[in-house]
């Protein structure tokens, strides 16, 4: 086998392969002889069909199958011989395939760029240090009480915490849009069910009152037909109800299925907050690591991978729009809208893969099992969820990628500089990064 490589623009490569005709012809003859013992044709006894007849009837088909097989195997061998790592599926074009002549073909593709992950020791990371305080437990307990509140109609203006019932009819430039109308829609003010400006407009309204509320949809709103545009909502307040919260006592704990009274409930809340904190800390650290890797490494990205990632991001966005009822018949989602995000994903994927490859990092079976159990624990029938994952190759590959990324994060953490940063639970879970707005775990401002 003869192999040559030509470099094109950037990461483009053309691999030319020539395979001796004897290698192809011998495989064709071998398969035809195997077939001869199995072929049944009228007028011939089994296994006695003349070779010329077998060749005439099945020769073209067998040769086509052999050519496909030879191209697959020699392509892989040629890549290994030339130390090439394709970034995607190659475009293979046959040049010579006639019987008696050497098989020649060329494969065009982009290669994975040469990457050297370096400077990890200079990465500076901040690990949030968060204590669960009594005030954090109080806040969740109060939220639980509100979730189990009983509401009673009141003859006053709506205020935060009240539950209101409204009718609304929205227009953008006088035209309807998807999801622009609603009747008897219940909203608990202050819980973020509606955008803050919309809820602010409802605050202060009384039952029977009508009002026009103006709201500008954000530029990144899934429905691109109204993104960045102002809507006018004609709102009618149908009802205002005030909450009556249950007492935080043993009876309330029992309604939540907790034995041992209110202290047992508070302990359960604290345990839940600790798990939430640990996950949030891990997420913050992971984001810092990934951002640091991306910022410290420049590279030319294979266009093949970027285009493929654009399609994936686009499909994810469309699915989100469908779930929100904002996809419409033919949403306009140009590819350049997702270019930056796709490039970042591809770059990060290449860096993670290089860390794994260069350091011989293998997937940790125990971490896989732990991750699978953690996902399943959030469902009523965890065993069925675990079985679904085990039988779903795509789901398992996604989970393996997640676990491998976590292992790469650990690899970086072992080498980077990590400093503890005191922070409140609220600041951690709300995504606050600004030191001026971040409090320490004991409630005092950080110096």
């Amino acid at each position: 086998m003869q192999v040559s490589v030509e470099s094109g623009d950037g990461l483009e490569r053309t691999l030319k392969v020539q395979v001796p005709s004897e290698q192809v012809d011998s495989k064709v003859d071998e398969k035809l002889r195997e077939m001869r013992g199995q072929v049944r044709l009228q007028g011939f006894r089994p296994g006695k069909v003349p070779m010329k007849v077998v060749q005439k009837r099945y020769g073209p088909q067998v040769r086509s199958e052999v050519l496909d097989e030879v191209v697959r195997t020699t392509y892989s061998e040629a890549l290994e011989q030339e130390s090439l790592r394709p970034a995607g599926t190659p475009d293979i074009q046959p040049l010579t395939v006639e019987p008696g002549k050497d098989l020649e073909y060329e494969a065009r593709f982009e290669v994975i760029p040469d990457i050297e992950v370096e400077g990890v020791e200079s990465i500076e990371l901040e690990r949030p240090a968060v204590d669960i305080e009594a005030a954090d437990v109080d806040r969740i307990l109060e939220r639980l009480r509100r979730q189990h509140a009983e509401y009673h109609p009141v003859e006053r203006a709506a205020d935060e915490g009240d539950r209101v019932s409204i009718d609304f009819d929205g227009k953008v430039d006088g035209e309807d849009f998807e999801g622009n109308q609603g009747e008897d829609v219940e909203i608990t003010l202050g819980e973020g069910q509606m955008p803050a400006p919309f809820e602010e407009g409802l605050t202060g309204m009384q039952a029977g009152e009508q009002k026009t509320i103006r709201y500008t949809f954000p530029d990144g709103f899934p429905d691109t037909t109204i993104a960045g545009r102002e809507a006018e909502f004609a709102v009618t307040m149908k009802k205002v109800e005030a909450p009556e919260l249950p007492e935080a006592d043993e009876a309330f704990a029992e309604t939540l299925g907790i034995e041992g009274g209110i202290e047992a409930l508070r302990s359960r809340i604290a345990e839940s907050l600790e798990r939430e904190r640990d996950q949030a800390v891990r997420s913050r650290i992971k984001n810092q690591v990934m951002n640091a890797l991306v910022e410290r490494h420049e590279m030319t990205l294979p266009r093949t991978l970027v285009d493929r990632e654009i399609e994936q991001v686009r499909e994810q966005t469309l699915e989100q729009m469908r779930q929100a009822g904002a996809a419409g018949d033919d949403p306009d989602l140009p590819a350049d809208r997702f270019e930056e995000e796709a490039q970042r994903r591809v770059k990060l994927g290449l860096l993670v893969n290089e860390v794994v490859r260069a350091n011989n990092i293998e997937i940790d079976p125990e971490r896989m099992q732990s991750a699978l159990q953690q996902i399943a624990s959030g469902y009523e029938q965890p065993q069925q969820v675990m079985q679904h994952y085990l039988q779903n190759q795509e789901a398992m590959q996604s989970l393996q990628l997640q676990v491998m990324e976590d292992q790469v994060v650990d690899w970086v953490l072992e080498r980077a500089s990590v400093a503890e940063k005191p922070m409140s639970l609220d600041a951690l879970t709300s995504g606050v990064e600004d030191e001026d707005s971040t409090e320490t775990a004991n409630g005092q401002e950080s110096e």
Side-chain angles (χ1 to χ4, degrees), residues 363 368 389 392-404:
I363 196 79
M368 276 292 297
Y389 266 81
N392 188 315
Q393 183 178 2
E394 184 176 348
M396 285 300 292
Q397 287 177 343
S398 177
L399 185 60
Q400 287 173 349
L401 176 60
Q402 174 186 323
V403 171
M404 187 58 77

PDB file of all heavy atoms in Angstrom, residues 363 368 389 392-404:
ATOM      1  N   ILE A 363     -11.744   6.417  32.291  1.00  0.00           N
ATOM      2  CA  ILE A 363     -12.995   6.635  33.002  1.00  0.00           C
ATOM      3  C   ILE A 363     -13.017   5.822  34.286  1.00  0.00           C
ATOM      4  O   ILE A 363     -12.619   4.656  34.312  1.00  0.00           O
ATOM      5  CB  ILE A 363     -14.204   6.271  32.107  1.00  0.00           C
ATOM      6  CG1 ILE A 363     -15.503   6.862  32.664  1.00  0.00           C
ATOM      7  CG2 ILE A 363     -14.319   4.789  31.892  1.00  0.00           C
ATOM      8  CD1 ILE A 363     -15.669   8.304  32.363  1.00  0.00           C
ATOM      9  N   MET A 368     -18.643   6.658  37.605  1.00  0.00           N
ATOM     10  CA  MET A 368     -19.764   6.439  36.692  1.00  0.00           C
ATOM     11  C   MET A 368     -20.973   5.923  37.458  1.00  0.00           C
ATOM     12  O   MET A 368     -22.100   6.397  37.275  1.00  0.00           O
ATOM     13  CB  MET A 368     -19.364   5.446  35.598  1.00  0.00           C
ATOM     14  CG  MET A 368     -18.626   6.059  34.429  1.00  0.00           C
ATOM     15  SD  MET A 368     -19.686   7.164  33.428  1.00  0.00           S
ATOM     16  CE  MET A 368     -20.907   5.981  32.824  1.00  0.00           C
ATOM     17  N   TYR A 389     -30.675   4.131  31.346  1.00  0.00           N
ATOM     18  CA  TYR A 389     -29.350   4.621  30.975  1.00  0.00           C
ATOM     19  C   TYR A 389     -28.468   3.487  30.480  1.00  0.00           C
ATOM     20  O   TYR A 389     -27.773   3.615  29.467  1.00  0.00           O
ATOM     21  CB  TYR A 389     -28.695   5.312  32.171  1.00  0.00           C
ATOM     22  CG  TYR A 389     -28.920   6.797  32.203  1.00  0.00           C
ATOM     23  CD1 TYR A 389     -30.109   7.326  32.683  1.00  0.00           C
ATOM     24  CD2 TYR A 389     -27.956   7.689  31.739  1.00  0.00           C
ATOM     25  CE1 TYR A 389     -30.330   8.699  32.719  1.00  0.00           C
ATOM     26  CE2 TYR A 389     -28.162   9.056  31.766  1.00  0.00           C
ATOM     27  CZ  TYR A 389     -29.355   9.556  32.255  1.00  0.00           C
ATOM     28  OH  TYR A 389     -29.554  10.910  32.264  1.00  0.00           O
ATOM     29  N   ASN A 392     -29.298   2.596  27.006  1.00  0.00           N
ATOM     30  CA  ASN A 392     -29.309   3.697  26.038  1.00  0.00           C
ATOM     31  C   ASN A 392     -27.877   4.172  25.812  1.00  0.00           C
ATOM     32  O   ASN A 392     -27.280   4.828  26.675  1.00  0.00           O
ATOM     33  CB  ASN A 392     -30.185   4.844  26.562  1.00  0.00           C
ATOM     34  CG  ASN A 392     -30.385   5.937  25.529  1.00  0.00           C
ATOM     35  OD1 ASN A 392     -29.446   6.361  24.872  1.00  0.00           O
ATOM     36  ND2 ASN A 392     -31.609   6.398  25.388  1.00  0.00           N
ATOM     37  N   GLN A 393     -27.313   3.821  24.664  1.00  0.00           N
ATOM     38  CA  GLN A 393     -25.913   4.139  24.382  1.00  0.00           C
ATOM     39  C   GLN A 393     -25.663   5.643  24.379  1.00  0.00           C
ATOM     40  O   GLN A 393     -24.656   6.115  24.912  1.00  0.00           O
ATOM     41  CB  GLN A 393     -25.498   3.538  23.038  1.00  0.00           C
ATOM     42  CG  GLN A 393     -24.028   3.764  22.701  1.00  0.00           C
ATOM     43  CD  GLN A 393     -23.636   3.114  21.381  1.00  0.00           C
ATOM     44  OE1 GLN A 393     -24.461   2.522  20.695  1.00  0.00           O
ATOM     45  NE2 GLN A 393     -22.378   3.218  21.020  1.00  0.00           N
ATOM     46  N   GLU A 394     -26.578   6.410  23.797  1.00  0.00           N
ATOM     47  CA  GLU A 394     -26.395   7.859  23.728  1.00  0.00           C
ATOM     48  C   GLU A 394     -26.405   8.478  25.117  1.00  0.00           C
ATOM     49  O   GLU A 394     -25.588   9.363  25.428  1.00  0.00           O
ATOM     50  CB  GLU A 394     -27.505   8.484  22.871  1.00  0.00           C
ATOM     51  CG  GLU A 394     -27.345   9.977  22.651  1.00  0.00           C
ATOM     52  CD  GLU A 394     -28.394  10.556  21.724  1.00  0.00           C
ATOM     53  OE1 GLU A 394     -29.112   9.762  21.073  1.00  0.00           O
ATOM     54  OE2 GLU A 394     -28.508  11.779  21.653  1.00  0.00           O
ATOM     55  N   ALA A 395     -27.329   8.009  25.976  1.00  0.00           N
ATOM     56  CA  ALA A 395     -27.395   8.539  27.336  1.00  0.00           C
ATOM     57  C   ALA A 395     -26.129   8.189  28.117  1.00  0.00           C
ATOM     58  O   ALA A 395     -25.603   9.022  28.868  1.00  0.00           O
ATOM     59  CB  ALA A 395     -28.620   7.983  28.060  1.00  0.00           C
ATOM     60  N   MET A 396     -25.620   6.974  27.942  1.00  0.00           N
ATOM     61  CA  MET A 396     -24.413   6.573  28.644  1.00  0.00           C
ATOM     62  C   MET A 396     -23.197   7.350  28.157  1.00  0.00           C
ATOM     63  O   MET A 396     -22.327   7.726  28.943  1.00  0.00           O
ATOM     64  CB  MET A 396     -24.184   5.069  28.471  1.00  0.00           C
ATOM     65  CG  MET A 396     -25.107   4.204  29.313  1.00  0.00           C
ATOM     66  SD  MET A 396     -24.942   4.518  31.103  1.00  0.00           S
ATOM     67  CE  MET A 396     -23.297   3.875  31.410  1.00  0.00           C
ATOM     68  N   GLN A 397     -23.130   7.614  26.863  1.00  0.00           N
ATOM     69  CA  GLN A 397     -22.012   8.394  26.326  1.00  0.00           C
ATOM     70  C   GLN A 397     -22.019   9.811  26.898  1.00  0.00           C
ATOM     71  O   GLN A 397     -20.971  10.365  27.212  1.00  0.00           O
ATOM     72  CB  GLN A 397     -22.082   8.430  24.804  1.00  0.00           C
ATOM     73  CG  GLN A 397     -21.701   7.118  24.134  1.00  0.00           C
ATOM     74  CD  GLN A 397     -21.841   7.167  22.626  1.00  0.00           C
ATOM     75  OE1 GLN A 397     -22.507   8.049  22.070  1.00  0.00           O
ATOM     76  NE2 GLN A 397     -21.223   6.212  21.939  1.00  0.00           N
ATOM     77  N   SER A 398     -23.219  10.374  27.028  1.00  0.00           N
ATOM     78  CA  SER A 398     -23.331  11.712  27.610  1.00  0.00           C
ATOM     79  C   SER A 398     -22.878  11.706  29.063  1.00  0.00           C
ATOM     80  O   SER A 398     -22.168  12.625  29.510  1.00  0.00           O
ATOM     81  CB  SER A 398     -24.786  12.193  27.513  1.00  0.00           C
ATOM     82  OG  SER A 398     -24.943  13.455  28.135  1.00  0.00           O
ATOM     83  N   LEU A 399     -23.264  10.671  29.801  1.00  0.00           N
ATOM     84  CA  LEU A 399     -22.856  10.569  31.201  1.00  0.00           C
ATOM     85  C   LEU A 399     -21.355  10.349  31.314  1.00  0.00           C
ATOM     86  O   LEU A 399     -20.687  10.916  32.188  1.00  0.00           O
ATOM     87  CB  LEU A 399     -23.616   9.420  31.877  1.00  0.00           C
ATOM     88  CG  LEU A 399     -23.379   9.253  33.386  1.00  0.00           C
ATOM     89  CD1 LEU A 399     -23.790  10.513  34.133  1.00  0.00           C
ATOM     90  CD2 LEU A 399     -24.148   8.044  33.909  1.00  0.00           C
ATOM     91  N   GLN A 400     -20.794   9.527  30.423  1.00  0.00           N
ATOM     92  CA  GLN A 400     -19.342   9.292  30.430  1.00  0.00           C
ATOM     93  C   GLN A 400     -18.582  10.590  30.168  1.00  0.00           C
ATOM     94  O   GLN A 400     -17.546  10.849  30.792  1.00  0.00           O
ATOM     95  CB  GLN A 400     -18.991   8.247  29.376  1.00  0.00           C
ATOM     96  CG  GLN A 400     -19.399   6.839  29.751  1.00  0.00           C
ATOM     97  CD  GLN A 400     -19.197   5.854  28.614  1.00  0.00           C
ATOM     98  OE1 GLN A 400     -18.936   6.256  27.477  1.00  0.00           O
ATOM     99  NE2 GLN A 400     -19.324   4.573  28.895  1.00  0.00           N
ATOM    100  N   LEU A 401     -19.090  11.400  29.248  1.00  0.00           N
ATOM    101  CA  LEU A 401     -18.451  12.684  28.958  1.00  0.00           C
ATOM    102  C   LEU A 401     -18.464  13.575  30.192  1.00  0.00           C
ATOM    103  O   LEU A 401     -17.462  14.227  30.513  1.00  0.00           O
ATOM    104  CB  LEU A 401     -19.178  13.375  27.799  1.00  0.00           C
ATOM    105  CG  LEU A 401     -18.688  14.781  27.433  1.00  0.00           C
ATOM    106  CD1 LEU A 401     -17.225  14.748  27.034  1.00  0.00           C
ATOM    107  CD2 LEU A 401     -19.539  15.365  26.320  1.00  0.00           C
ATOM    108  N   GLN A 402     -19.589  13.582  30.903  1.00  0.00           N
ATOM    109  CA  GLN A 402     -19.699  14.394  32.110  1.00  0.00           C
ATOM    110  C   GLN A 402     -18.697  13.932  33.172  1.00  0.00           C
ATOM    111  O   GLN A 402     -18.005  14.751  33.781  1.00  0.00           O
ATOM    112  CB  GLN A 402     -21.118  14.291  32.662  1.00  0.00           C
ATOM    113  CG  GLN A 402     -21.326  14.975  34.006  1.00  0.00           C
ATOM    114  CD  GLN A 402     -22.703  14.720  34.580  1.00  0.00           C
ATOM    115  OE1 GLN A 402     -23.693  14.668  33.859  1.00  0.00           O
ATOM    116  NE2 GLN A 402     -22.770  14.526  35.882  1.00  0.00           N
ATOM    117  N   VAL A 403     -18.619  12.617  33.374  1.00  0.00           N
ATOM    118  CA  VAL A 403     -17.690  12.080  34.370  1.00  0.00           C
ATOM    119  C   VAL A 403     -16.249  12.354  33.962  1.00  0.00           C
ATOM    120  O   VAL A 403     -15.405  12.715  34.803  1.00  0.00           O
ATOM    121  CB  VAL A 403     -17.923  10.568  34.573  1.00  0.00           C
ATOM    122  CG1 VAL A 403     -16.819   9.958  35.434  1.00  0.00           C
ATOM    123  CG2 VAL A 403     -19.286  10.322  35.207  1.00  0.00           C
ATOM    124  N   MET A 404     -15.938  12.185  32.682  1.00  0.00           N
ATOM    125  CA  MET A 404     -14.574  12.436  32.223  1.00  0.00           C
ATOM    126  C   MET A 404     -14.193  13.902  32.401  1.00  0.00           C
ATOM    127  O   MET A 404     -13.054  14.228  32.783  1.00  0.00           O
ATOM    128  CB  MET A 404     -14.424  12.020  30.763  1.00  0.00           C
ATOM    129  CG  MET A 404     -12.999  12.096  30.252  1.00  0.00           C
ATOM    130  SD  MET A 404     -11.853  11.063  31.212  1.00  0.00           S
ATOM    131  CE  MET A 404     -12.262   9.433  30.548  1.00  0.00           C
TER     132      MET A 404
END
